[in-house]
Amino acid sequence: MNAPNASGWRPSLGDAAQAKNATSSGDYALMLEEALSFELGSADKCGVDLEAPGRAPAAGLAKFMRKAAPVLPGLTEPETVRHYTRLSRQNYGIDLGPFPLGSCTMKHNPRLNEKMARLPGFADVHPLQPQATVQGALEVIEQLAHWLITLTGMASVAMSPKAGAHGELCGLLCIRAALDARGEKRDVVLVPESAHGTNPATAAFAGFKVESIPATPAGRVDLAALKSKLGPNVAGVMITNPNTCGLFEPDMRAIADAVHAVGGYVYCDGANFNAIVGKVRPGDLGIDAMHINLHKTFSTPHGGGGPGAGPVVLSEALAPFAPLPFVTRGDDGSMHLVEEENASEGHGQAFGRMVAFHGQMGMFTRALTYILSHGADGLRQVAEDAVLNANYVLRACADVLPAPFADSGPCMHEALFSDSGLAPGFSTLDIAKGLIDEGFHPMTVYFPLVVKGAMLVEPTETESKAGLDRFITSLRSVAQRAKDGDDSLHAAPHYAPRRRLDETLAARKPVLVWQGEPGMAGTPSLSEIGGS
């Protein structure tokens, strides 16, 4: 069961496990060596008893019958549950420890949020229900929209975008619609080096030409360089503030004024809003559009834990062009959606819509629960504690890891380090893999690109001082080993369920399909199972 399958893909256990006396099971205490489901079961058995169909399929359905049975592993319920539970033990999750991923804000998801999202009136709604039957859900959307507008100092918000990059696209489409309404065809978007990597990609996807703005030695936007590129062809600037160097842009108002003076608009990447929520209103800085990652600032599940949500707040200049649908309150207090068929109730200049329906109800419910739980003062403390934690990490490690912008003022939500001080032949990747042996998920690595061998650490506000001290002790230890030239780091991780992979091959040539053992039928083709 523990031998590699026919494709030979399976990496070996770490040296630490192999150095001990071998076990007959291949397991080492609670480090379980789990086989694939196809290796545990076989296609010729089934874990449940199914009665033979009593009659032929209804007319018109026969064409959908499979030509051959699917080749699936036959597992009982206990086998299935144990298989996936064992796999989960090899995974790292936010409930096991911190995710210090800079620019990703992986914070604790309060269980109260989950309880609220699972209430039948929210969990079981369907987007095609009569609006009279989902008044509570619509009110959640409306209340959350009100909070987002209030916290950002903006005029309106588009709630439907599904994630950060989707929100970026929404904001740029609003800008394009506003320019079209003015009869202008501007085709350039300026993007600073310190912006998130999705910004230039989104601008290009939206049909704009991207021009880069350099950073100053202090890690901020070069205002003079930005002004030199402004002209009648500039649609706007996409800026991240706080930026990906972990720094606040003190010239934000001057940047906005300069862009507005030539008729452009200012888009702000709001992924780092966690650092300033309750402290700074982006609208006061001259920003015209900004997406807010609910899964970052407002603690809704992140990544594989749930769908994202990226509402976009808009200034008065762009509010008329916000996409449909949106929620509005009638004179009688009831809630209803403004869609294409009743668009005259709104501004009438919507550029279209971003999604088929209305957004992510579960994320809206979680985010509003988080906001109401904290209140205005609690949200302000979120930002203060997040900034405090990041500065604690920065100052606690700056003597063993170069911190390029440590003298540029306090960092915001994240601390940025470089691998430039390590022994020859050692790099950021060695430190990241060494942290796995220490029991921590690595930080964001090699981003932002403006720093050599970047290590971007974001502790968030949910980590205690005791927890941060554990992480800092481990990071300092691994960094010192890299500075001292400890060759064992090149083979790290030693204690993880799997050894270090070839990350290039893992990313470009992943093995995602069961190949089958020699002599066994592999995964059937689509034609074999009636597909096309």
Side-chain angles (χ1 to χ4, degrees), residues 261-303:
V262 299
Y265 295 95
V266 179
Y267 186 92
C268 181
D269 187 310
N272 299 337
F273 190 49
N274 197 58
I276 60 173
V277 60
K279 301 287 290 186
V280 177
R281 299 196 312 171
D284 297 337
L285 303 178
I287 290 166
D288 293 298
M290 184 180 86
H291 76 265
I292 302 173
N293 299 79
L294 298 187
H295 54 284
K296 292 186 178 185
T297 305
F298 301 113
S299 82
T300 67
H302 198 156

Side-chain angles (χ1 to χ4, degrees), residues 69-123:
V71 181
L72 298 174
L75 300 176
T76 64
E77 182 175 294
E79 287 175 324
T80 304
V81 170
R82 288 172 180 171
H83 171 65
Y84 286 104
T85 301
R86 285 172 173 169
L87 288 179
S88 73
R89 295 172 66 94
Q90 297 186 11
N91 193 26
Y92 189 90
I94 193 65
D95 291 338
L96 290 175
F99 268 91
L101 291 170
S103 235
C104 279
T105 318
M106 299 281 278
K107 62 172 73 176
H108 172 67
N109 304 138
R111 294 305 184 265
L112 176 61
N113 300 4
E114 301 303 313
K115 182 178 181 180
M116 295 299 103
R118 285 167 170 75
L119 292 175
F122 300 134

Side-chain angles (χ1 to χ4, degrees), residues 3-10 36-43 71-73 511-524:
N5 63 35
S7 61
W9 65 269
R10 177 172 292 169
L36 299 177
S37 59
F38 284 92
E39 296 170 310
L40 293 172
S42 62
V71 181
L72 298 174
V511 178
L512 303 177
V513 179
W514 164 248
Q515 301 296 323
E517 298 287 357
M520 278 185 59
T523 301

Side-chain angles (χ1 to χ4, degrees), residues 89-362:
R89 295 172 66 94
Q90 297 186 11
N91 193 26
Y92 189 90
I94 193 65
D95 291 338
L96 290 175
F99 268 91
L101 291 170
S103 235
C104 279
T105 318
M106 299 281 278
K107 62 172 73 176
H108 172 67
N109 304 138
R111 294 305 184 265
L112 176 61
N113 300 4
E114 301 303 313
K115 182 178 181 180
M116 295 299 103
R118 285 167 170 75
L119 292 175
F122 300 134
D124 298 339
V125 294
H126 190 281
L128 295 180
Q129 280 185 238
Q131 293 181 34
T133 68
V134 290
Q135 287 293 296
L138 294 178
E139 187 152 356
V140 164
I141 299 175
E142 194 262 351
Q143 284 192 28
L144 178 58
H146 169 76
W147 270 95
L148 297 180
I149 291 170
T150 302
L151 289 168
T152 58
M154 302 290 264
S156 69
V157 59
M159 295 296 293
S160 60
K162 295 289 187 71
H166 202 215
E168 292 171 21
L169 181 61
C170 175
L172 287 183
L173 293 178
C174 286
I175 290 173
R176 180 182 291 283
L179 292 172
D180 288 345
R182 284 163 32 185
E184 299 181 20
K185 298 297 182 183
R186 299 176 178 233
D187 62 351
V188 172
V189 168
L190 306 178
V191 181
E193 290 180 348
S194 58
H196 271 133
T198 51
N199 291 178
T202 301
F205 184 80
F208 292 101
K209 299 175 184 176
V210 178
E211 293 189 12
S212 180
I213 305 297
T216 67
R220 276 129 173 153
V221 174
D222 188 322
L223 181 58
L226 183 143
K227 287 183 175 180
S228 71
K229 293 196 174 186
L230 292 176
N233 64 332
V234 173
V237 61
M238 294 187 79
I239 190 167
T240 304
N241 191 25
N243 66 32
T244 46
C245 295
L247 302 169
F248 190 79
E249 295 285 355
D251 291 330
M252 188 67 239
R253 186 76 236 189
I255 291 170
D257 290 343
V259 173
H260 290 155
V262 299
Y265 295 95
V266 179
Y267 186 92
C268 181
D269 187 310
N272 299 337
F273 190 49
N274 197 58
I276 60 173
V277 60
K279 301 287 290 186
V280 177
R281 299 196 312 171
D284 297 337
L285 303 178
I287 290 166
D288 293 298
M290 184 180 86
H291 76 265
I292 302 173
N293 299 79
L294 298 187
H295 54 284
K296 292 186 178 185
T297 305
F298 301 113
S299 82
T300 67
H302 198 156
V312 179
V313 287
L314 301 165
S315 66
E316 289 185 6
L318 292 184
F321 307 97
L324 300 172
F326 60 87
V327 178
T328 187
R329 188 183 293 272
D331 294 336
D332 61 354
S334 65
M335 315 298 298
H336 67 278
L337 288 160
V338 175
E339 303 267 16
E340 283 83 355
E341 60 270 19
N342 59 330
S344 59
E345 294 184 35
H347 36 68
Q349 293 179 280
F351 69 75
R353 60 194 302 133
M354 294 296 295
V355 297
F357 297 112
H358 323 303
Q360 302 287 15
M361 192 65 230

